[in-house]
Amino acid sequence: MGWTAAPADATAPAEATAPADATASAEATVPAAEAAPVPACTARTGPYQWDLEGHLKLPADGRQSTADCVAIRAFQQRTGVKPADGYAGLATYRTMLVVQARANPNAAGKCPVRTYQVTCVDLDRQLVWVQRGKQVIYPPVPARTGRDGEETRTGWHTVYWKHRDHFSDLYNNAPMPFAQFFNDGQAFHGVLDDLFRGGSHGCVNLRYADAERLWHVMHEDDAVYIWGAKPGTWRSMGPPSEAPAPVPQG
């Protein structure tokens, strides 16, 4: 018995017979996704309100407004400050100092310029950067330095030992990742807690990622220069004769 070919359109997919606008009609019935509403910005006036208003070119009156809150929150979102809630707190202020210093952290010339590499520690602004000559090879990052009675020592120092996975012999075996020692036990190292709270025992604390990057930039025998005074310490408030006697540390 002979074989008969099927009609030319017998194998065409069933959907080929659907009206040309069937898909469009189906899509038209699905409502467009609505954008999530932006929550209202309701943060109160922060302790660094004036500073953030000046930096963000807002009307400077030291009082929070809705526009201030929204602008500060946008700054926090851009720079990774958490929570990004529009409150002009310490972490936001310290991040502002980093942003301001990026173009030229040594604009005031307080860190000596040398032909060799120098790690600069500005206690006044709580910033660290590395320069060789006038070239910044490690941009400024926030730091936490020594509290009253355990101040980070100022002046010239030299990195004398590096230990990637160090633990403190003095402070309850506390982790000191990417430790780089520069003066009698004081070191640059990373921390996992809130960098913007309190003070150290004299070390220069950095965020973990910043300490890791600095580890690859600094070397043994590198020069370190430290100046200024940590804000809020007695040293920052005037000469010793004008400051109260230190409280013994436990």
Side-chain angles (χ1 to χ4, degrees):
M1 187 171 177
W3 179 82
T4 304
D9 62 348
T11 58
E15 56 265 29
T17 61
D21 62 348
T23 302
S25 299
E27 291 177 349
T29 64
V30 179
E34 296 182 2
V38 177
C41 204
T42 58
R44 65 187 187 281
T45 298
Y48 297 95
Q49 192 75 34
W50 284 97
D51 303 276
L52 269 298
E53 288 171 349
H55 177 71
L56 298 173
K57 297 180 172 56
L58 300 168
D61 57 8
R63 293 180 297 176
Q64 182 81 303
S65 67
T66 300
D68 291 347
C69 188
V70 170
I72 294 170
R73 181 171 64 183
F75 172 80
Q76 293 167 331
Q77 292 169 337
R78 290 195 304 272
T79 56
V81 177
K82 296 181 180 179
D85 56 5
Y87 181 69
L90 179 60
T92 306
Y93 169 72
R94 295 281 308 285
T95 302
M96 181 199 78
L97 294 181
V98 174
V99 171
Q100 291 176 339
R102 280 177 183 163
N104 184 8
N106 202 31
K110 293 187 177 181
C111 191
V113 175
R114 299 290 187 267
T115 56
Y116 48 84
Q117 181 169 305
V118 178
T119 299
C120 307
V121 183
D122 182 345
L123 300 181
D124 298 325
R125 294 183 292 173
Q126 296 285 282
L127 296 178
V128 171
W129 70 90
V130 182
Q131 61 188 37
R132 183 182 296 115
K134 293 184 178 180
Q135 180 185 9
V136 175
I137 61 175
Y138 178 92
V141 296
R144 177 176 64 198
T145 63
R147 65 191 74 177
D148 279 319
E150 297 180 290
E151 291 85 356
T152 303
R153 302 179 190 100
T154 56
W156 283 103
H157 308 286
T158 302
V159 176
Y160 64 87
W161 185 43
K162 290 163 62 84
H163 191 188
R164 186 185 183 103
D165 299 306
H166 190 72
F167 289 84
S168 174
D169 297 327
L170 298 175
Y171 301 107
N172 300 318
N173 210 37
M176 298 170 61
F178 305 105
Q180 304 188 78
F181 291 85
F182 59 84
N183 184 277
D184 193 24
Q186 294 189 350
F188 299 92
H189 68 83
V191 295
L192 300 177
D193 62 348
D194 182 1
L195 186 72
F196 304 113
R197 178 176 296 178
S200 74
H201 292 287
C203 287
V204 179
N205 297 163
L206 303 169
R207 294 176 299 198
Y208 186 93
D210 293 338
E212 183 177 13
R213 289 191 299 112
L214 187 63
W215 172 269
H216 296 292
V217 174
M218 293 177 65
H219 313 88
E220 286 192 16
D221 298 325
D222 272 5
V224 176
Y225 187 75
I226 303 173
W227 72 96
K230 186 180 189 299
T233 61
W234 292 318
R235 183 186 291 176
S236 71
M237 298 176 185
S241 60
E242 299 177 8
V247 176
Q249 299 290 323

